[in-house]
Amino acid sequence: MQIGELAAATGLTRDTLRFYEKRGLLLSRRLANGYRDYPPEAVQWLCYLRAAQALGFTLAEIETGLPLLDDPAAAAAPLLRDALMRKLEDIDARIAGLSALRADLTRELARPGFGCPVLEEQAAA
């Protein structure tokens, strides 16, 4: 399958496919004419990759061996569950951090005589 066919089958751009290939996430072989040739299973792999990204996993996390989301092997299920639990914990931590930041900003805006906190700190120094 050539790059244009793979792009059409997955809805990804050729540039995205080249980027994934450069990172080692997508493999191809070169034909005699220099064209990239992708195996048919590349479509399924790219669907998995996009699903993992939609769940919040970064390319670096996927590169380091995220267990397949659709792996039927029972052995992979606990690994995938652990990875998903870690991602959920990361999201909860980010939400907590953003909630704290929101509270700080709300408190600052509600302060009587609100001014620029940076300028006020400099004036006090």
Side-chain angles (χ1 to χ4, degrees):
M1 176 180 317
Q2 292 182 359
I3 195 166
E5 296 167 315
L6 186 58
T10 60
L12 299 171
T13 66
R14 293 171 189 223
D15 286 341
T16 298
L17 297 174
R18 288 184 193 105
F19 174 75
Y20 288 157
E21 188 173 354
K22 186 175 182 180
R23 288 203 59 164
L25 289 165
L26 181 62
L27 302 176
S28 71
R29 63 184 179 99
R30 291 288 182 158
L31 300 175
N33 60 7
Y35 291 173
R36 290 175 171 90
D37 183 45
Y38 298 95
E41 54 274 3
V43 174
Q44 183 179 2
W45 165 250
L46 289 166
C47 289
Y48 156 76
L49 185 105
R50 300 303 282 188
Q53 285 184 301
L55 289 173
F57 290 96
T58 65
L59 290 179
E61 290 168 325
I62 295 167
E63 287 170 341
T64 58
L66 178 69
L68 290 178
L69 297 170
D70 61 352
D71 188 351
L79 297 173
L80 178 58
R81 182 174 177 75
D82 289 347
L84 292 172
M85 288 299 295
R86 283 191 307 275
K87 182 52 64 180
L88 189 58
E89 290 167 2
D90 290 346
I91 291 169
D92 287 343
R94 282 191 276 167
I95 289 171
L98 287 171
S99 293
L101 177 59
R102 186 182 194 290
D104 290 346
L105 289 171
T106 300
R107 202 171 24 261
E108 194 61 37
L109 287 169
R111 201 167 44 92
F114 171 76
C116 177
V118 174
L119 294 177
E120 289 174 1
E121 285 180 21
Q122 288 176 351

